[in-house]
Each structure stands twice: as structure tokens, then as C-alpha cells.
Amino acid sequence: MSHGSEPARFAWRHPAGESTVVCGVGALRAALPALAEWVAGRALFFLSTPRVRGLHLESVAELRRSAARVIDLDVPEGEAAKSLEWAERLWREMVVAGGRRDSRMICFGGGSVGDLGGFVAATFLRGIEVTQLPTTLLAQVDASIGGKTAIDLPEAKNSVGVFHHPAFVVADAAWLRTLPREEVRSGLVEALKMGILAAPLLFERIERDLPALLDGQAEALAPVVEAAARAKATIVEGDPGESGSRQLLNLGHTLGHALETALGYGGLRHGEAVGWGIVLAARLAERLGLLAAVDGERIRRLLGRFDLPVWPAALASGELLEVMGRDKKAVESGLRWVLPERIGGARHGVSVPADVVDEELSALAVAARSRLPAGELPHI
Amino acid sequence: MSHGSEPARFAWRHPAGESTVVCGVGALRAALPALAEWVAGRALFFLSTPRVRGLHLESVAELRRSAARVIDLDVPEGEAAKSLEWAERLWREMVVAGGRRDSRMICFGGGSVGDLGGFVAATFLRGIEVTQLPTTLLAQVDASIGGKTAIDLPEAKNSVGVFHHPAFVVADAAWLRTLPREEVRSGLVEALKMGILAAPLLFERIERDLPALLDGQAEALAPVVEAAARAKATIVEGDPGESGSRQLLNLGHTLGHALETALGYGGLRHGEAVGWGIVLAARLAERLGLLAAVDGERIRRLLGRFDLPVWPAALASGELLEVMGRDKKAVESGLRWVLPERIGGARHGVSVPADVVDEELSALAVAARSRLPAGELPHI
């Protein structure tokens, strides 16, 4: 593991080839020769948002000059971009601009830009190659790794998409310096999730460096990004189609997605919702005797220091239960849970008795509405 | 090769596994045990058109009874179904109906139903398994084999899609008995294309049996379907991502697609347009010294017996040239042609001087407008 001093480079293999990740402070400079060759002589669709362009366009100027021509595509910030309307607008702009099968796509922005752009690239002329330049912590540690792409339907988030692995993921820590504190916190939850699942040293690093991390210090964040991205790449490589161990990555996401759906897009940030989901998963794991109380307490205590936003009082547990039942990861035979077994290991496909879910979710809802002080969370 | 007496079974391998083809008279009955197991205990989305249901629903009744539940999805006949609007409608119906990742999709109809349904299945929750039950000759010999899926944009046909290989393709020759003669002719052109590319015995069979084939006799068509589908499966298996030899399958499609685009959807049937494209390709191959005149003449003579519809007088060669330049199979460096080298072999990626294309296309346009008697076609 590098220590923020120089960029790290690694890869994950998948059925269509290999995806190269370069991350850390100075990652873009380190990746530039390979990226320049990748776009040379080709039309480059450069997808971003006005805000990201305003902050960081200068950093990609040399890369853009390496393409035969650049067609700029702009979408709004956040989940609003992940609609069929935006996908259609991009596809049509790309046809009109003379896009071909050997054209390239670069997604420069957060997870929504990457999800939408990845989907549009995957489906344009049955697939053009894509590179992800994730600018948010959430996208750097999680969304950009693994080849998932998606858009939303009004009825359900991420319900339309495919697997389409990027040629490169270049996650420069310099882009993280301009992130709002809430965005950093949201991304750190996904890094913490990777620590709980598969990387105990990453968990310890987050415990130790939390203040500097929440402050958005690039040098502190770089090794966290690297460790989380490496851990995710390893899991993805072992299960490209999400039929097995990759389901571990859904730790905290059953409740997390339900909270996002129930509160509407924008109600809670993704990482915030997943944070509450991890608290629930740890409680369920303890109730089933899968997780030692001391580890459950350690998880809750660390998440307590994240100071996650409260839930609206109007949100009923019954509604959340119903939304969870519609989760796309459910199967005909019912919900399956990912539950931690220790700091650094988890199990997927676990059935939990409905009354236990109901009880723990209700207790969590009470605590989450009032945002008990961090020290109190272990007792919910 | 079977002789129409009993169904044939073969498979093509691809990066995600294997696709099984069962074809011939009685194919559905032969495939029923495997299909019934494939849908058992699952939600089955059954996509078709009112016309196909009206003609053939009884034949699939037992298969439908094997699923835990059947959700019927209906789309219009033909290319009109291959729109983003229809894809969206289906995705949303599938979410509302509680579709999950272990749900199944069956496409029962012609190439448009298969293209649209394959695309919707490929992208629903990042992919559910699909089986193709092609009911037209075109779909049985060509569209259902190889995992291509697509919808159209107003600007270009098949411009949005992915590769998504079916679990099964079951092509029952009984469904061909109700096809209009023009549909049979259109499908036979694609079978003939496979003969020219890779299957000289198939070419000879079509030469020999043409009257019975054009009459839609299921027993005559069954071995043609089998030979064409086998040849296509072999090519697809060797090149799943269409980066190499699979491009051979585009023989006749450069002009074919341009004719379809220029005349608007519905102007010429796909196979009819491809037929004219094969005539052009044979002429270009002769001009470049790739194809012996005797083989070119044999190709044109057989296609002459198909009695392809004429082109509208208003259609200018210049317009066709321009549309061909926008073909999604073009690369930044220009159009590449697939040209026959003999009966049973072809070459892809061939550059043809612009003046030669211009000259031969203009000569063909004159002949195609007046539909010279079949015997005259060799002299255009």
C-alpha cells in the first residue's frame, strides 16, 4: 500500500479483459501516457457536469488534447442525471456527432456521471470503451470499480443497466480537495464497509485517521481509497456477474436502498443511508449469533463518530420493510441479507426471521430519528 | 445435418457460457423438458405480438404452464416495437410486476421482438436470462443466433443495444407455415448470405429447392434453417465481440442498411435490402479481382430468381453513399466492405476505391429501379 506519496496501480480481470486502476495524489499525471494512447486518433465523448468542469477542467486539458476530437456532453449533478431521458439525449447526440464503435467515452464526475456514462457507453452501438475519472470519494472507493452501470426508473433506482467494465479508472486524490464535508462522509461509509467486509487494516486506519479523513485531507484519503478500491477489485474479480461473493458488497445496502427510495432521491446521501444499513446489519448479525458483541459495538461506535443525519419522524418501519421486499437483489424466495461475521469478514445470502428484522428495524428507527449521542448507539 | 425429419440440437459458446439451439419440425416439443426446467418456480415475462399470439399461442401453452407465473407483455409487429418508448414501457411493467434477477424472459415472434426483448432482458436489473422462440424465417436463420440485441433511435437503426446471449433458441419450423411469401423470401436472403460466406452446400440446396422454399414448405425450410444457423453459430463462437471474423456476417448489409434507412422503416424488408447489398458486394468483389466472374454470375442469377422489389426512382445513389458513411460498422478511417471470394468464403475489412463504389452503385441503381429480368442482372 502506498502512503499518499505516489500513485498506486493495480487491475481487476473480467470476462472481457482487464480494467486498470490508478489512484492517489498525482494519479492522472501517472496515467496520462496510457490514456493519451487510448484516445489517440479517435473521437472522445467527454461526459461531465458544469460544476465538475468549473472546478477541474484544467487538470484534464492535456488528456483532452490527445484525442482526434472531443465532443463535450453535459448532464446535471447527482441522481437527476440517471434518467432514461438523459440517456436518450446522450445517445442521440453521439449518433449525430458521428460516434463509431472505435470512439471512446470518458466520465468525469461522481457516481451518477459514471453510472449514466457507463450505461450509455455500454449500449451505444453495442458498446464502446469507457474510462472513469471519478471525482468524488464515493465514486473513487466504490462506484467506479467493478463495471456496474445503471440508470433509474421512476419505480426503482438502478433498475436498468448492464455490466460494462472500464478500460481505466483513474482516481486522482487532488479532485477530493474541493468536496463538501458531507460528500466525504458519505464516501467514507463505503470505505468503512469494505473494511468490515474484507480489510481489517483499512477499518483500523479509518478509526485512527477519522478527523483528517472527514476534513477531506487528500494525503489521508489516498491510502483509504487505495485499500478500499483494491479490496473491491479483488471481490469483483472473483465474481464478475454478481452471482456469489460479490453480493458481500451489498452490506448495508438492503436498508440503505430502502431509505433512499422511501425518502426520495436526495433525502439521504447514499453513504449516509448505507451507514444506517450497516448499523442494522451488525445488530441482526449479533441477534443471529454471527457477530461477537464486541465487534458489533466497535462498528457502531465508529459509525457513531460519523454523526449521520437523522430520519424524518414520518418514516414508518413498515414502509421500509415493504420497500426492502421490492429490492432487485431479492429472489423469489425472499430477502437475503449480508451480515458481518467479524471486522474483516462477512457472509451473504442469510435469511433473517421477519420478526427479528421488524424488531431491530423499529428500534433503529427510534434511535435514528432522535440521533442518540454516538456513545448510546451500541445500546439500541 | 438432419433432413427435416427430426429436430437438430447444437450450441455456441460465448464468454458468459453457452447458448443451445434446437431447430426443425417439432423443435419446441423436443426442447420442452429443458425449457420447463428453466422457467420452473420463476416469474416468466412472455413477450410477443397480438398477431403471433393469435396464430401460435396454443403451441406454447404447456411451456407457459411450467412457470410459477406468467406476465404477458405485448408489443406491435415489426420495427415499430424497437423504440426506446417500448423498452421503457416494458422495463416499467416488469418492475411493477415484481420482476427479479432470477426472473426469465421469453421472446416469441420475429426479429424485432427478439431484438427488443433481448435488449430489455439484458438491461433489466443488469440482466435476466432470455430464451428466443423465433417465428419468422429471418429470425430463425439469423437474428436469434449470436446474442445481438438492439433498439433504434430516430437517427439510426440498431444504434442502442448490447450483446446478451440467450439461454436457448428454439426455432420450430411449424411456425413458418403461416408466413407470408415476402417474409419467407426476406429470410431466405439471409440464409443465402450464410451459404455464400461459409456454407457452399447450403447455397446449392437453395439453388435446388428454391420453389419449395419460397412456397414456405416447412420440411424444405427446416434443413436450410439448420445449416444457416449452424454456420452462423460457428462464426459467432469464434468472435463473440464482433471484432474479427463475425464482421463477415455483414455481407450485403452496408448497402442493405443504407437502403432501409434511406427508404424509411418499412420501405424494403431487411432481407430484400440485403439481397441488393449482396448483388453490389459481388460486383465490387469482381472489380477488385477477388471473385471469379463465374461465381459472381451464379450469385446474381440465384438472387435474380428471388424477384426482389424495385427501388423508388427518387432514391439517388449520392444519398445512399452518404448514409453508408454513417454506418455504425464504419471506423474513423472509412468504410470497410465484406466481399465474397467464392461460393463458401468471404473477406472482411476490404477498402474499395470511392470511384468504384460510386460507379457500381449507380449501375445497380439503374437496374434495381427497373428490375431487369433475372437473366439480365449478371450484366449490370
Side-chain angles (χ1 to χ4, degrees):
Chain A
M1 192 183 287
S2 80
H3 295 277
S5 54
E6 62 182 47
R9 185 185 299 254
F10 53 95
W12 78 88
R13 285 183 299 272
H14 49 76
E18 192 174 88
S19 296
T20 299
V21 183
V22 185
C23 64
V25 178
L28 184 60
R29 200 180 50 242
L32 193 58
L35 286 179
E37 186 183 349
W38 181 74
V39 298
R42 300 170 190 271
L44 169 62
F45 293 104
F46 193 91
L47 177 68
S48 191
T49 71
R51 202 184 62 80
V52 171
R53 281 180 204 276
L55 289 168
H56 303 299
L57 193 63
E58 187 49 39
S59 69
V60 293
E62 193 174 340
L63 169 56
R64 289 162 55 94
R65 281 194 298 270
S66 307
R69 59 194 177 106
V70 176
I71 300 97
D72 281 303
L73 303 171
D74 263 309
V75 293
E77 283 292 313
E79 202 76 23
K82 290 176 59 179
S83 70
L84 200 53
E85 289 66 31
W86 275 106
E88 179 178 15
R89 201 181 297 200
L90 299 184
W91 283 321
R92 296 180 70 172
E93 284 184 45
M94 290 162 72
V95 170
V96 169
R100 300 171 190 274
R101 290 192 172 174
D102 60 352
S103 301
R104 304 300 201 203
M105 164 88 84
I106 284 181
C107 304
F108 188 42
S112 296
V113 168
D115 280 0
L116 169 68
F119 177 66
V120 167
T123 49
F124 183 66
L125 309 182
R126 299 199 187 90
I128 64 172
E129 290 190 25
V130 66
T131 279
Q132 300 285 353
L133 304 184
T135 58
T136 66
L137 185 58
L138 188 64
Q140 292 198 355
V141 300
D142 186 40
S144 66
I145 311 288
K148 279 194 176 183
T149 75
I151 57 175
D152 303 326
L153 293 180
E155 292 82 3
K157 206 169 126 84
N158 293 327
S159 42
V160 172
V162 292
F163 287 95
H164 185 61
H165 294 271
F168 299 91
V169 177
V170 181
D172 200 310
W175 298 323
L176 303 177
R177 293 201 172 100
T178 54
L179 278 186
R181 189 178 178 89
E182 292 72 22
E183 286 297 317
V184 174
R185 177 173 68 189
S186 181
L188 274 177
V189 171
E190 290 283 2
L192 175 61
K193 179 199 78 178
M194 288 308 315
I196 295 172
L197 286 179
L201 295 178
L202 170 59
F203 188 95
E204 286 174 22
R205 181 185 282 271
I206 296 173
E207 273 182 327
R208 190 190 69 201
D209 294 346
L210 192 63
L213 294 169
L214 287 172
D215 272 354
Q217 292 177 20
E219 290 69 18
L221 288 167
V224 167
V225 168
E226 183 191 338
R230 273 188 196 273
K232 180 161 181 189
T234 301
I235 289 177
V236 162
E237 185 170 291
D239 180 21
E242 201 172 19
S243 53
S245 59
R246 188 166 173 157
Q247 293 173 29
L248 291 173
L249 299 170
N250 295 323
L251 174 64
H253 282 63
T254 304
L255 175 59
H257 282 152
L259 279 168
E260 289 180 280
T261 302
L263 297 175
Y265 302 150
L268 277 182
R269 282 182 173 75
H270 179 69
E272 295 164 354
V274 170
W276 289 115
I278 294 173
V279 173
L280 177 64
R283 276 302 295 154
L284 296 177
E286 281 181 65
R287 284 287 299 271
L288 268 61
L290 291 173
L291 180 72
V294 60
D295 286 337
E297 188 169 320
R298 201 172 153 202
I299 291 170
R300 281 189 297 278
R301 194 176 297 277
L302 179 48
L303 274 166
R305 293 167 64 199
F306 277 64
D307 202 21
L308 298 171
V310 299
W311 297 1
L315 182 61
S317 310
E319 184 184 351
L320 289 172
L321 283 169
E322 195 212 305
V323 175
M324 286 192 287
R326 296 203 306 261
D327 192 293
K328 69 174 172 303
K329 279 139 194 161
V331 291
E332 292 290 337
S333 51
L335 258 187
R336 291 290 180 274
W337 293 81
V338 183
L339 300 182
E341 297 185 302
R342 60 184 183 280
I343 307 296
R347 180 187 299 189
H348 65 88
V350 184
S351 283
V352 181
D355 59 327
V356 174
V357 174
D358 200 16
E359 219 173 286
E360 292 299 334
L361 182 60
S362 301
L364 179 63
V366 171
R369 268 184 215 116
S370 54
R371 194 169 57 201
L372 301 177
E376 295 297 308
L377 272 176
H379 306 296
I380 60 169
Chain B
M1 190 183 290
S2 80
H3 294 277
S5 54
E6 61 182 45
R9 185 185 298 256
F10 54 95
W12 78 89
R13 286 185 300 272
H14 49 74
E18 193 174 87
S19 296
T20 299
V21 182
V22 185
C23 64
V25 178
L28 183 61
R29 197 178 54 243
L32 193 59
L35 285 180
E37 187 184 348
W38 181 74
V39 299
R42 300 172 190 270
L44 168 62
F45 293 104
F46 193 91
L47 177 68
S48 191
T49 71
R51 202 183 62 81
V52 172
R53 282 180 204 275
L55 289 167
H56 303 299
L57 194 62
E58 187 50 37
S59 68
V60 292
E62 192 174 340
L63 169 57
R64 289 162 56 92
R65 281 193 298 271
S66 307
R69 59 195 177 104
V70 177
I71 301 98
D72 280 304
L73 303 171
D74 262 310
V75 292
E77 284 292 314
E79 201 75 24
K82 290 177 60 179
S83 69
L84 200 53
E85 289 67 30
W86 276 105
E88 179 178 15
R89 203 182 294 199
L90 298 183
W91 283 321
R92 296 180 69 172
E93 284 184 45
M94 291 163 73
V95 170
V96 169
R100 300 171 190 275
R101 290 193 172 175
D102 59 354
S103 301
R104 304 298 201 203
M105 164 86 83
I106 285 180
C107 305
F108 187 42
S112 296
V113 168
D115 280 359
L116 169 69
F119 177 66
V120 167
T123 49
F124 183 66
L125 309 182
R126 298 201 188 88
I128 65 172
E129 288 189 25
V130 66
T131 279
Q132 300 285 353
L133 305 184
T135 58
T136 66
L137 184 58
L138 188 64
Q140 291 198 356
V141 300
D142 186 41
S144 66
I145 310 287
K148 278 193 177 185
T149 75
I151 57 175
D152 302 328
L153 292 180
E155 291 82 3
K157 206 168 125 85
N158 293 328
S159 42
V160 172
V162 291
F163 287 95
H164 185 61
H165 294 271
F168 299 91
V169 177
V170 181
D172 201 311
W175 298 324
L176 304 176
R177 293 201 172 100
T178 54
L179 278 186
R181 188 179 177 87
E182 293 72 22
E183 286 296 318
V184 173
R185 177 173 67 188
S186 180
L188 274 177
V189 172
E190 290 283 1
L192 175 62
K193 180 199 77 176
M194 288 308 314
I196 295 171
L197 287 179
L201 295 178
L202 170 60
F203 187 96
E204 285 173 22
R205 181 185 282 272
I206 296 172
E207 273 183 328
R208 189 191 69 204
D209 293 348
L210 192 64
L213 293 169
L214 287 171
D215 272 353
Q217 293 178 19
E219 291 68 19
L221 288 167
V224 167
V225 168
E226 183 191 339
R230 273 189 195 272
K232 180 161 181 187
T234 301
I235 289 177
V236 162
E237 185 169 293
D239 180 21
E242 201 173 17
S243 53
S245 59
R246 188 166 173 156
Q247 293 173 29
L248 291 172
L249 299 169
N250 296 322
L251 174 65
H253 282 62
T254 303
L255 175 59
H257 282 153
L259 280 168
E260 288 179 281
T261 301
L263 297 176
Y265 303 148
L268 277 180
R269 282 181 172 74
H270 179 69
E272 294 164 354
V274 170
W276 288 115
I278 294 174
V279 174
L280 177 65
R283 276 301 297 154
L284 295 178
E286 281 181 65
R287 285 287 300 267
L288 268 59
L290 292 173
L291 180 71
V294 59
D295 286 336
E297 188 168 322
R298 201 172 153 201
I299 291 170
R300 279 188 300 277
R301 194 175 299 275
L302 179 49
L303 273 165
R305 293 167 64 198
F306 278 64
D307 202 20
L308 298 171
V310 298
W311 298 359
L315 181 61
S317 311
E319 185 184 350
L320 289 172
L321 283 170
E322 195 211 304
V323 175
M324 287 192 287
R326 296 203 306 262
D327 193 292
K328 70 175 172 304
K329 281 139 194 165
V331 291
E332 293 289 338
S333 50
L335 258 187
R336 292 288 179 275
W337 294 82
V338 183
L339 300 183
E341 298 184 301
R342 60 184 182 280
I343 306 296
R347 180 187 300 189
H348 65 86
V350 184
S351 284
V352 182
D355 60 326
V356 174
V357 174
D358 200 16
E359 219 173 286
E360 292 300 334
L361 182 61
S362 301
L364 178 64
V366 170
R369 268 184 214 117
S370 53
R371 194 168 59 199
L372 300 178
E376 295 297 308
L377 272 175
H379 306 296
I380 61 171

